[in-house]
Structure formats: C-alpha cells, structure tokens
Amino acid sequence: MKNLNWKEHGLDLLADLVGSFIFAISLQSFNAPNQIAPGGVSGLAVVLEYLTGLSIGTWSLLINIPLLATGWWILGRHFTIRTMITVVIMSAITDFAGLFLPVYTGDALLASIFGGVLMGTGLGLIFMRGSTTGGTDIVSRLLLKWFPHMQMGRVLLMIDVVTILFSAAVFQQIETALYGTVSAFLAGKVIDTLLYGMETGKLVYIISPQSIPISLQLMDELGRGCTLVKAEGGYKRQDIQMLLIAVHRQQYYRLKRIVHDFDPNAFIIVTDSTEVLGEGFKPITKDV
C-alpha cells in the first residue's frame, strides 16, 4: 500500500509538471505576447504583468495566497495543501518557461485558438489527478459556500467575464475581450473532452461481479460514497448488485481506471448530472 501511495504521489507530481509546462506555453508563447487574457487568475496575471512588469507566475502566486489562506479554514486542509503544491509548481514553471520559449505575435485569432487549446490540455492533465490550480476554483467554491443556490458554471462564467472585460479596458482594445473569450471557451471545451465530464458532476452506474471491492476502492481513493442496488439480469435472470456513485468531473478519469483494474469487462453507464446535492457536493438547502 505504501508503494502504491508513492506511485500515486509520483503521478500527481508528473501531471503537475507536464500540465504546468503546457499551460506555460499557452500563456508565454501565445496569449500574453498578443495581449490576450483568457479569464481567471491567469488572465488577470497577464494584465497585471502588462501594468507592473512583475512576472505572470509571481502574480499568479500572489493572487492565490489569500485565496489559499481562506480555503484552508473553509474548504479544508487536504484540498488546500494539494492545491498549494500545484499553484507553486505552475507559477515557477510559468516564469521559468518564459525565459526560453519562442513567442508568436502573428495572427491574434490563431494565438487565441492555440493558447486556449494548450491551456485546456495543461489544466486537464492536472485535473485528471484530482488537483486544482486554485484561483477561480477556490473563489467559486467559496461563493457556493456562501450562496449555495448559485450554479458553478455561472459563477466561473461571471469571474471570467469580469477578467476579460478588465483586460479590454487596460489594453484599450475590444478585440482583446473577443480573443480572450475564444481562448477561454476552447480551454473549457478541451478540459471537458479530456475529463469526459461537466462541471457539476457525473452519475455513474457500474455493473460488475466485483461491485463490492470496486465500491471499497472508490470510497477509499476518491472519498465518495457508493450505493449498492439489488438488480436482476434480464438475460440470465441472475441476482446482481449494481453500483451507483456520483463524482466530480475531475474524478471520473480515476474512477474509470479503478473499475478497469478490478474488472476490464465491467458495464459502465455515465450520465451528466445537472446538480448534485449532499456530502462532498453542494449542501441540501431550502430554496428561497
């Protein structure tokens, strides 16, 4: 078990390093040189670098410090420490890569497209390992703690819109906002494609003779509750146990790997969940 933990930590670190480097390429080679701020903390860092001369990585770290401090008390120690490691790695690699990466200053639309795709790829790799890059993710989770009726997608959209409009005002070009929107949109699409999930979550049905050991591993590794549902096979008329579990989008990749390790022939049904309420997700509250 200890060897497995070290292996998992190693994969987490590798995903942070590779994902951060790809993310750095998107910012340093495409977005920042063309004054494109793709929303979120990274977009805000691009604008602040232009205003102050302080590097993008430094600004990303400075912006995240108060957010991480708040998250430590409200969102929990484990989430904050894991996010802090990713933020530090990403900030350092972003600044280091900026010293030698080539810069593209041609067609701004091409820059926004390649910047968005690369950004989504880098973030997707990090999300696959269950980590986050802080910034808007922390802000959105904090806002949902205080305003639980808000939808996660709308919260993230509002944050991105504010950042993109701010960049247009600073750079004094409406095209900046348009290209930033294109880059942010493509990044989101690439992340969804890599993770095969939406922001709200996935509802997964698993049918396998190994449903009990699979459920134990899912609860241990993902920290998600599972429900075993008694069912009957339509063809053989045999009693079976169907496993039901709801997960965040960044956890689906790991769930699929766990199921495959126990039973490569398992039958999995995945559906989008527009809203997931309960422990580990949004709290159940009375609508007002």
Side-chain angles (χ1 to χ4, degrees), residues 163-213:
T163 302
I164 291 173
L165 291 178
F166 176 62
S167 70
V170 171
F171 296 132
Q172 298 183 348
Q173 296 184 53
I174 188 62
E175 288 83 0
T176 294
L178 299 178
Y179 292 137
T181 302
V182 171
S183 187
F185 176 79
L186 290 175
K189 286 297 181 181
V190 172
I191 290 172
D192 286 342
T193 300
L194 288 175
L195 301 180
Y196 194 62
M198 301 300 289
E199 185 65 37
T200 47
K202 287 290 183 181
L203 181 62
V204 184
Y205 302 86
I206 304 169
I207 300 176
S208 167
Q210 302 296 319
S211 58
I212 293 179

Side-chain angles (χ1 to χ4, degrees), residues 68-115:
L68 289 168
T70 306
W72 179 279
W73 298 106
I74 299 178
L75 301 177
R77 182 176 62 179
H78 177 75
F79 168 82
T80 306
I81 292 176
R82 182 72 180 91
T83 302
M84 186 185 304
I85 294 173
T86 302
V87 168
V88 171
I89 291 174
M90 177 172 287
S91 299
I93 290 180
T94 298
D95 282 351
F96 176 74
L99 299 176
F100 63 86
L101 282 175
V103 173
Y104 175 79
T105 55
D107 189 298
L109 180 59
L110 285 177
S112 67
I113 292 173
F114 279 91

Side-chain angles (χ1 to χ4, degrees), residues 13-206:
L13 179 60
L14 180 62
D16 282 350
L17 292 172
V18 176
S20 295
F21 183 70
I22 297 174
F23 180 85
I25 296 175
S26 73
L27 282 182
Q28 300 286 19
S29 295
F30 294 101
N31 284 332
N34 293 278
Q35 297 184 345
I36 297 173
V41 168
S42 58
L44 183 58
V46 169
V47 178
L48 293 174
E49 182 199 38
Y50 173 80
L51 291 174
T52 66
L54 201 60
S55 67
I56 294 175
T58 302
W59 271 117
S60 296
L61 185 60
L62 290 176
I63 295 171
N64 272 295
I65 287 175
L67 297 177
L68 289 168
T70 306
W72 179 279
W73 298 106
I74 299 178
L75 301 177
R77 182 176 62 179
H78 177 75
F79 168 82
T80 306
I81 292 176
R82 182 72 180 91
T83 302
M84 186 185 304
I85 294 173
T86 302
V87 168
V88 171
I89 291 174
M90 177 172 287
S91 299
I93 290 180
T94 298
D95 282 351
F96 176 74
L99 299 176
F100 63 86
L101 282 175
V103 173
Y104 175 79
T105 55
D107 189 298
L109 180 59
L110 285 177
S112 67
I113 292 173
F114 279 91
V117 171
L118 288 170
M119 178 175 291
T121 302
L123 293 176
L125 289 175
I126 293 173
F127 293 161
M128 277 182 179
R129 297 302 304 172
S131 184
T132 72
T133 55
T136 54
D137 190 45
I138 296 179
V139 173
S140 62
R141 291 184 184 223
L142 292 175
L143 287 175
L144 288 175
K145 284 281 187 179
W146 299 322
F147 307 101
H149 306 295
M150 300 178 69
Q151 294 184 1
M152 179 75 79
R154 291 182 181 179
V155 173
L156 295 175
L157 178 61
M158 287 189 297
I159 296 172
D160 286 341
V161 167
V162 170
T163 302
I164 291 173
L165 291 178
F166 176 62
S167 70
V170 171
F171 296 132
Q172 298 183 348
Q173 296 184 53
I174 188 62
E175 288 83 0
T176 294
L178 299 178
Y179 292 137
T181 302
V182 171
S183 187
F185 176 79
L186 290 175
K189 286 297 181 181
V190 172
I191 290 172
D192 286 342
T193 300
L194 288 175
L195 301 180
Y196 194 62
M198 301 300 289
E199 185 65 37
T200 47
K202 287 290 183 181
L203 181 62
V204 184
Y205 302 86
I206 304 169

Side-chain angles (χ1 to χ4, degrees), residues 208-219 228 241 243 262:
S208 167
Q210 302 296 319
S211 58
I212 293 179
I214 289 174
S215 68
L216 294 175
Q217 186 64 27
L218 290 174
M219 288 187 288
L228 292 171
Q241 287 187 314
L243 179 62
F262 280 94

